[in-house]
Each structure stands twice: as structure tokens, then as C-alpha cells.
């Protein structure tokens, strides 16, 4: 018994060291910009950089649009599959898992080939079109996480009976969807939204190859040209991801609390 | 003209026909229970009345209007589900108000109606609670109020008590019946619990393999089952095999004992084997017991069940069970003891299926 406990703690210690030592090193290095003393100069430099503000703002906007349009695609799909097409579930799950298997660079090259300015749908022919394409590619990338979080939330409610209860009370599809189903899968929607936000903020391949001024390519640019700022940016990116993870925990705990009891 | 009329209703799922030519006329204000085992088609009929399933054939009329092809949200029907189906994101008040809001009722009227409904189910003080903050019984009462709030033409209850514990089940079924009588609403109740159906219904439909085996009052169903299935499904019943001696005189032989039936068997022939049904509570060992008929047999077993003692006796090839009320001075029959069971000939029913 004691031996098992020792190994458990040993494994935890190894894991913590593996993950936190590089992070602590990066953080410590990010504070060394001023010679001989610790300071937040690197962070000041990052935050005052106009390009940081622009790229971060652009990525935030892209993340927001990805979440909104992604959810408008995913929630009705997951709902419909659960209610009317349960036999399609394995197929839909397979499709939503594809972006994890196909590398982002393959997807983006496919996009460029399909939607270039000489094609029938020339998305890359204008800035607006390219931005739309970027949002669509982000939706594709976040699909595995969005679909799973929404589907898991739907598993916790009796979608069919709630739909029938609303229908027999006279409700039509938009009312059923937006007043009876959507609010009850909100924990899943929010979890999916935060994870999508974390993915989009740090995404490099799509933005770089579609030549859009996103935060990912900016991180790479700063990393290649400066010394302390990349460490500060790495810590900032970690903070954003952790904040998203914390919010996911919070909303899923809230979701569990509000489940109906028999 | 009946208020709710189901005419030649059929339903098939793929190659399997689950409801066969079902006909039923329900009067306004009646409380009808569909009783039967799992898979007998009772819930399918209820779902066809609600509009969740389309009949493969036949028509459904409510108040003279053909509802067969209408969507559930066009039928003005209230329904209570087994799993409560309250909207978890809404309070009790919002749940009850949902149907009224959808119907576009003015806010002041909604408030008045919801308060009326909450008063009806005695939950006015819980209006601001969410479903997850309430017990199962309270949730089901809210579901009932929500179904009744828009003043539906028909109320459908799909095994609403199955998920509740025994004590709450009894009190809630009485409450449902009292509210139904108070509002005079036509109600269709689906259950597999015979006690529930017998205690609250005006009429019971006993379903078997997609067909109505018998439709009748609870007393009819219990005391005069017309098929072997109804006899065996509702209550405990002895099925006794007997050979006809004289059809005109109504005499039959059970083992080596001849008895006379009150029910006519003139349509049968001598020597034919028939099945007779006898309720366990109909017989008595007491010599002072009223009864014009007696069967003598050897005691197989006597089991103490609390309020009654159930004794099984062998009569010819049949084993007949009967119940005696428990009392402190009751002497339990001993195994192999020869006893005489007395009962009225009118309690013996001929099963014709």
C-alpha cells in the first residue's frame, strides 16, 4: 500500500517537473530584460507593440466569429443527429474527427487549390473572402472539440422528450431550439467556445499560409527577431489557454449542478 | 358522437405491425387507462393521439375534428411524460407559463393562469424554484400543471408515476384523479400497473399484442375478464381446466368432482375441455361461508403473506390458490390435509378466448 502511494507521488513529481520546469525557466527568462534585476520590461514591450495589439485584436475577432458560426453549425447538427438520425452518429463523429487526422497544412493547401482567385469560388481574391476562408478553416480545426463538447452536453439532457414536451405545448422549431435546447447545452457550448478560443489565438499554419495578420504568425515573427519578448509572449499565450481551461471547468461544474434529479 | 374517436388505427414499424385495427370511442370527461405489458402498443396509441407518430391507417377525431395528419403543436393536447420533461433552464413559473407564452397570451393573463395552476397542484410557494431543486413528485405535479395550463382538449399521461417511489405514486395518482374530475378533462392514461389502472379509471383498455383484449369498467375487467390474457394479467387468478358433463345443465367435472356453473355453456359440447377462472379471494374454508359450490382437495402449501394467508390445494390435475384474511386465531392448514373450499358458482367464470 505504502509502496503504491510512493510511486503515485513519484509519478506526479516527475510530471510536474517535466511540465513546470521549462515554464518556470521561460517565465524567469522573460523577467531578465533589464540587466542585473528582474523586471516586467519584456511584457511592457510586448503590450506596447502596435503589431501585438493589431494581431491579437484580429485573432480575437476571428475567434469570436469562429465560435458564433461554429456553434450555429454544430448545435443544430448534434441536435438533429441525436433526435432524428441516430444511425448517422458514427459517420458524423468520424467526419468531426478528420481535422485531427489531416494536418492543417494539407487542409490549407486544399483550400488554396479550391478557392484561389482563379477558381469558381475565389475566396482568396479579396481580403474579406480570405478572412471568411480563415474563419471557415478555424471552424474545421475546432470541429472535433466543439462537436464533442456540445454532444456531451446533449447527452446530459433528454433531448427527445424535451423536444416533444415543447412541441405538444405548441412550440415550433425556432422556439424549441433557442428556448428549450440551446440554454440547456450552454455548458457544452461555452466549453467548446473556450477551447476554440484557445486554438484560434495560437493558430499559425492557416493564418500564415492565407497571409492574414493573426497572432500566431506574429508570435513566430517576434520569436525569430527578439530575445526576451518571445518568452513573455509564451507566458501570455499560456495564461490565455489556462484561463480558457479554468472557464471550461467552471461552466462544466455549473452544468453538473443544474442537472435535474429523479 | 364521442369526444375522442379512434377508428381502425393501425401502426407498423417496418415489417412489424404494433397496433392492429384499434377502435375506441371516448366520451368527454372520461378517464381511460391503457393497461398492458411492455411492447403491447399502448404507448404507441398514446403517441399517435399526441401526433408524435403517424398512424399507418385509420383516423383520430377530437371533438369531431380530424386530427390524424395534424402536427403535435396544432392539436391542443396536454401531455405528461414519464421522465417529467421539465425544461431545466426554466423555473417552475416559467415552465408552467411556457405553453401560454407560445400561444401569445398577454402577460397579465399568463401570470393569473400560472398562479391558478400552481394553486391547483399546491405548489404556489415553489414558483421560483428550478426543476433540479425539487423532488420527483413535485416535478411531476409541475409537469401536470404545465400540461393543463393552456386548457387542452385532451390530457395524455404516459406512465407518469413509474419513476416515483411507491408512497408518492399512490398520493399523486389520487391527486391526478381529483384534478381530472375537478376540470372535467378527457384523459388517457398509459400504465403497466394494474392497481393504478383499477383505482383511478372510468374505463380500462387491456392491450395485448397491439389489440384491445377487453374494454370495460375496472369492476368488469377484474370480475368478468373475457379472455385468458385479461384474466391472467389483471390480479391473481386461478385457471382451472374442467371437462363438460352436461352443457344444458351447465355441469362440469374438475378432477373427479362435478359442479354446476351459473354461466351458460349451452353452446359447448359434452366432453369438451374448458378453462374456468376463480379469484383467490372468492374461496373460503369456513363451513359457515356463503357458497353454493364446494371443491375438496389436498393442501399443497400455505404461505403467510401478512394481511392474508395464501393456500394452494390440489384438485385433480389443477392447483387452486385461495386467500384467507389473517387474524390472530387463524389456524393455518397443514400440508397434505384434506380441506373443502367453498365459493359461489357465480364466481367461476368461463374463459372464452
Amino acid at each position: 500500500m505504502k509502496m503504491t502511494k510512493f510511486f503515485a507521488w513519484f509519478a506526479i513529481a516527475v510530471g510536474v517537473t517535466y511540465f513546470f520546469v521549462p515554464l518556470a525557466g521561460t517565465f524567469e527568462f522573460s523577467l531578465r530584460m533589464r540587466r542585473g534585476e528582474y523586471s516586467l520590461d519584456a511584457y511592457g514591450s510586448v503590450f506596447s507593440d502596435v503589431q501585438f495589439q493589431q494581431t491579437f485584436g484580429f485573432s480575437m475577432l476571428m475567434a469570436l466569429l469562429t465560435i458564433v458560426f461554429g456553434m450555429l453549425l454544430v448545435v443544430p447538427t448534434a441536435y438533429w443527429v441525436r433526435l432524428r438520425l441516430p444511425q448517422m452518429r458514427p459517420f458524423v463523429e468520424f467526419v468531426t474527427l478528420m481535422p485531427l487526422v489531416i494536418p492543417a497544412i494539407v487542409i490549407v493547401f486544399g483550400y488554396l487549390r479550391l478557392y484561389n482567385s482563379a477558381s469558381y469560388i475565389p475566396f482568396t481574391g479579396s481580403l474579406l473572402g480570405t478572412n471568411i476562408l480563415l474563419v471557415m478553416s478555424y471552424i474545421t480545426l475546432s470541429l472535433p472539440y466543439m462537436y464533442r463538447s456540445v454532444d456531451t452536453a446533449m447527452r446530459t439532457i433528454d433531448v427527445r422528450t424535451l423536444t416533444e414536451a415543447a412541441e405538444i405545448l405548441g412550440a415550433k422549431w425556432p422556439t424549441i431550439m433557442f428556448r428549450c435546447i440551446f440554454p440547456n447545452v450552454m455548458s457544452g457550448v461555452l466549453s467548446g467556445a473556450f477551447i476554440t478560443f484557445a486554438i484560434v489565438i495560437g493558430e499559425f499554419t492557416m493564418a500564415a499560409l492565407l497571409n492574414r495578420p493573426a497572432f500566431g504568425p506574429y508570435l513566430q515573427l517576434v520569436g525569430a527577431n527578439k530575445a526576451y519578448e518571445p518568452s513573455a509572449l509564451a507566458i501570455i499565450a499560456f495564461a490565455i489557454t489556462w484561463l480558457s481551461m479554468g472557464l471550461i471547468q467552471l461552466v462544466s461544474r455549473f452544468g453538473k449542478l443544474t442537472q435535474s434529479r429523479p | 358522437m364521442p369526444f375522442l374517436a379512434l377508428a381502425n388505427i393501425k401502426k407498423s414499424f417496418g415489417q412489424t405491425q404494433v397496433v392492429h385495427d384499434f377502435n375506441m370511442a371516448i366520451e368527454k370527461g372520461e378517464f381511460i387507462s391503457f393497461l398492458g405489458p411492455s411492447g403491447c402498443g399502448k404507448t404507441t396509441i398514446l403517441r399517435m393521439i399526441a401526433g408524435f407518430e403517424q398512424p399507418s391507417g385509420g383516423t383520430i377525431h377530437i371533438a369531431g375534428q380530424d386530427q390524424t395528419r395534424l402536427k403535435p403543436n396544432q392539436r391542443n393536447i396536454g401531455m405528461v411524460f414519464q421522465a417529467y420533461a421539465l425544461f431545466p433552464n426554466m423555473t417552475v413559473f416559467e415552465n408552467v407559463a411556457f405553453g401560454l407564452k407560445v400561444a401569445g397570451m398577454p402577460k397579465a393573463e399568463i401570470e393569473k393562469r400560472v398562479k391558478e395552476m400552481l394553486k391547483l397542484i399546491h405548489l404556489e410557494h415553489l414558483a421560483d424554484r428550478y426543476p433540479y431543486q425539487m423532488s420527483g413528485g413535485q416535478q411531476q405535479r409541475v409537469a401536470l400543471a404545465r400540461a393543463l395550463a393552456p386548457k387542452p382538449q385532451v390530457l395524455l399521461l404516459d406512465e407518469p408515476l413509474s419513476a416515483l417511489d411507491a408512497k408518492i405514486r399512490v398520493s399523486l395518482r389520487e391527486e391526478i384523479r381529483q384534478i381530472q374530475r375537478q376540470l372535467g378533462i378527457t384523459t388517457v392514461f398509459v400504465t403497466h400497473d394494474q392497481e393504478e389502472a383499477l383505482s383511478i379509471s372510468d374505463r380500462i383498455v387491456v392491450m395485448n399484442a397491439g389489440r384491445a383484449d377487453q374494454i370495460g369498467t375496472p369492476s368488469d375487467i377484474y370480475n368478468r375478464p373475457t379472455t385468458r390474457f385479461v384474466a391472467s394479467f389483471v390480479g391473481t387468478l386461478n385457471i382451472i381446466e374442467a371437462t363438460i358433463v352436461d352443457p344444458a345443465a351447465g355441469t362440469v367435472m374438475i378432477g373427479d368432482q362435478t359442479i354446476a356453473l351459473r354461466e351458460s355453456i349451452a353452446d359447448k359440447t359434452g366432453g369438451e375441455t374448458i378453462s374456468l377462472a376463480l379469484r383467490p379471494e372468492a374461496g373460503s374454508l369456513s363451513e359457515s361461508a356463503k357458497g353454493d359450490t364446494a371443491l375438496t382437495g389436498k393442501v399443497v402449501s400455505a404461505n403467510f403473506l401478512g394481511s392474508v394467508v395464501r393456500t394452494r390445494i390440489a384438485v385433480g390435475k389443477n392447483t387452486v390458490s385461495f386467500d384467507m384474511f389473517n387474524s390472530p386465531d387463524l389456524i393455518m392448514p397443514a400440508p397434505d390435509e384434506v380441506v373443502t373450499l367453498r365459493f359461489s358458482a357465480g364466481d367461476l367464470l368461463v374463459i372464452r378466448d
Side-chain angles (χ1 to χ4, degrees):
Chain A
M1 187 74 186
K2 267 188 178 171
M3 208 58 178
T4 323
K5 220 171 186 179
F6 169 77
F7 278 116
W9 280 109
F10 180 72
I12 289 171
V14 170
V16 167
T17 312
Y18 182 81
F19 285 110
F20 281 92
V21 167
L23 200 63
T26 308
F27 181 60
E28 198 264 353
F29 185 71
S30 73
L31 299 175
R32 280 174 175 245
M33 195 170 178
R34 199 177 295 173
R35 239 172 240 279
E37 58 176 308
Y38 286 135
S39 73
L40 294 171
D41 285 0
Y43 293 89
S45 164
V46 165
F47 285 126
S48 61
D49 185 357
V50 180
Q51 232 186 329
F52 168 81
Q53 292 160 13
Q54 280 171 349
T55 55
F56 195 73
F58 179 82
S59 284
M60 287 267 278
L61 179 68
M62 291 295 113
L64 196 72
L65 292 171
T66 304
I67 289 164
V68 171
F69 289 104
M71 284 304 167
L72 283 177
L73 173 76
V74 164
V75 178
T77 306
Y79 172 70
W80 205 249
V81 167
R82 268 199 171 269
L83 194 68
R84 297 263 184 260
L85 302 165
Q87 71 276 16
M88 290 291 284
R89 248 183 105 197
F91 175 73
V92 175
E93 287 203 351
F94 173 74
V95 169
T96 58
L97 276 175
M98 296 279 270
L100 285 184
V101 184
I102 302 170
I105 193 136
V106 175
I107 297 174
V108 80
F109 269 111
Y111 281 162
L112 287 172
R113 200 172 165 78
L114 270 174
Y115 303 118
N116 63 54
S117 50
S119 73
Y120 290 110
I121 317 166
F123 272 123
T124 56
S126 66
L127 275 185
L128 179 69
T130 315
N131 285 344
I132 291 171
L133 195 58
L134 187 62
V135 170
M136 291 200 297
S137 64
Y138 285 159
I139 291 174
T140 309
L141 278 188
S142 54
L143 207 54
Y145 313 101
M146 270 205 225
Y147 185 83
R148 242 138 229 89
S149 58
V150 170
D151 194 51
T152 305
M154 280 201 185
R155 216 170 288 175
T156 63
I157 59 167
D158 188 346
V159 174
R160 178 178 293 274
T161 317
L162 284 185
T163 302
E164 288 180 350
E167 223 179 339
I168 201 86
L169 287 163
K172 294 192 173 110
W173 284 109
T175 313
I176 296 171
M177 197 71 217
F178 289 101
R179 285 187 55 199
C180 305
I181 302 298
F182 218 93
N184 290 310
V185 293
M186 204 37 114
S187 63
V189 170
L190 289 175
S191 298
F194 293 130
I195 203 157
T196 302
F197 182 78
I199 291 168
V200 172
I201 284 293
E203 204 285 327
F204 171 79
T205 318
M206 302 279 188
L209 287 166
L210 287 172
N211 195 26
R212 299 309 301 131
F215 191 57
Y218 170 74
L219 282 176
Q220 186 273 333
L221 187 75
V222 172
N225 297 302
K226 293 186 178 175
Y228 299 99
E229 284 85 343
S231 304
L233 276 171
I235 296 298
I236 292 167
F238 261 106
I240 292 168
T241 310
W242 282 351
L243 185 71
S244 300
M245 295 298 180
L247 289 171
I248 290 171
Q249 288 294 320
L250 202 71
V251 293
S252 33
R253 199 166 295 174
F254 177 73
K256 269 178 209 150
L257 275 178
T258 54
Q259 271 167 36
S260 205
R261 66 180 151 127
Chain B
M1 192 176 195
F3 187 71
L4 170 58
L6 308 174
N8 304 313
I9 295 289
K10 296 179 196 77
K11 181 67 189 175
S12 302
F13 292 110
Q15 298 295 309
T16 318
Q17 189 161 357
V18 290
V19 177
H20 305 262
D21 259 326
F22 184 84
N23 289 285
M24 172 124 205
I26 301 171
E27 296 306 324
K28 194 167 171 58
E30 249 194 313
F31 194 114
I32 300 290
S33 291
F34 280 69
L35 176 66
S38 299
C40 68
K42 55 189 192 300
T43 300
T44 308
I45 293 177
L46 191 87
R47 290 176 63 79
M48 285 193 278
I49 300 172
F52 295 132
E53 303 287 352
Q54 276 295 314
S56 310
T59 57
I60 298 167
H61 283 78
I62 299 176
Q65 304 282 315
D66 188 357
Q67 310 270 321
T68 321
R69 302 288 152 198
L70 292 185
K71 288 179 180 168
N73 55 18
Q74 298 169 322
R75 294 192 182 204
N76 190 21
I77 284 176
M79 185 157 171
V80 177
F81 299 84
Q82 184 181 346
Y84 323 135
L86 293 181
F87 305 121
N89 57 312
M90 297 181 201
T91 62
V92 166
F93 186 96
E94 289 164 339
N95 263 287
V96 179
F98 184 84
L100 307 172
K101 271 189 190 166
V102 168
M105 194 185 259
K107 212 175 168 184
E109 272 182 55
I110 291 178
E111 203 166 325
K112 192 171 159 239
R113 181 76 182 147
V114 172
K115 280 182 180 164
E116 261 174 44
M117 286 293 107
L118 293 181
K119 200 174 168 193
L120 190 72
I121 56 159
H122 313 294
L123 288 180
E124 307 101 300
H125 58 294
L126 300 182
D128 296 325
R129 290 256 180 105
Y130 281 92
Y132 72 92
Q133 296 169 315
M134 302 169 79
S135 70
Q138 287 172 330
Q139 288 187 56
Q140 201 57 297
R141 276 150 76 195
V142 175
L144 180 67
R146 182 181 66 177
L148 291 170
K151 297 187 179 167
Q153 303 186 88
V154 175
L155 177 65
L156 306 177
L157 306 167
D158 185 10
E159 306 207 28
L161 309 172
S162 313
L164 304 172
D165 61 55
K167 210 172 170 185
I168 295 169
R169 212 154 52 207
V170 173
S171 68
L172 192 55
R173 81 178 180 215
E174 282 162 9
E175 204 173 329
I176 288 174
R177 181 57 161 150
Q178 189 209 326
I179 290 171
Q180 186 270 337
R181 278 207 180 107
Q182 198 177 329
L183 302 177
I185 186 167
T186 311
T187 303
V188 180
F189 178 72
V190 161
T191 182
H192 59 262
D193 184 325
Q194 43 169 303
E195 191 188 310
E196 257 169 43
L198 291 169
S199 65
I200 60 174
S201 318
D202 288 321
R203 281 193 296 157
I204 297 173
V205 181
V206 184
M207 297 285 300
N208 179 26
R211 290 187 173 86
D213 252 31
Q214 190 175 352
I215 301 175
T217 62
S219 167
D220 274 345
I221 297 287
Y222 190 81
N223 295 314
R224 285 175 288 281
T226 54
T227 68
R228 183 186 290 266
F229 175 79
V230 176
S232 61
F233 188 75
V234 182
T236 310
L237 202 82
N238 292 295
I239 303 285
I240 304 167
E241 300 298 326
T243 311
I244 297 174
V245 178
D246 182 352
T251 51
V252 294
M253 186 174 271
I254 300 169
D256 55 357
Q257 302 169 59
T258 305
I259 58 167
L261 302 178
R262 199 169 291 171
E263 200 176 325
S264 169
I265 48 168
D267 57 326
K268 308 271 180 191
T269 51
E272 193 181 334
T273 303
I274 56 167
S275 298
L276 303 171
L278 181 71
R279 292 277 175 207
E281 63 269 26
S284 171
L285 288 187
S286 163
E287 284 186 21
S288 60
K290 284 180 192 169
D292 49 14
T293 309
L295 280 175
T296 302
K298 204 182 252 186
V299 173
V300 177
S301 64
N303 296 310
F304 180 70
L305 303 178
S307 61
V308 295
V309 171
R310 179 157 293 172
T311 306
R312 294 168 72 226
I313 61 169
V315 182
K317 286 179 183 171
N318 299 287
T319 304
V320 181
S321 294
F322 64 97
D323 292 341
M324 294 182 289
F325 279 114
N326 176 32
S327 73
D329 39 307
L330 178 81
I331 301 161
M332 295 222 331
D336 293 332
E337 189 183 335
V338 175
V339 293
T340 301
L341 178 67
R342 293 168 208 284
F343 52 92
S344 164
D347 290 328
L348 267 179
L349 302 168
V350 180
I351 302 291
R352 299 168 192 274
D353 49 332

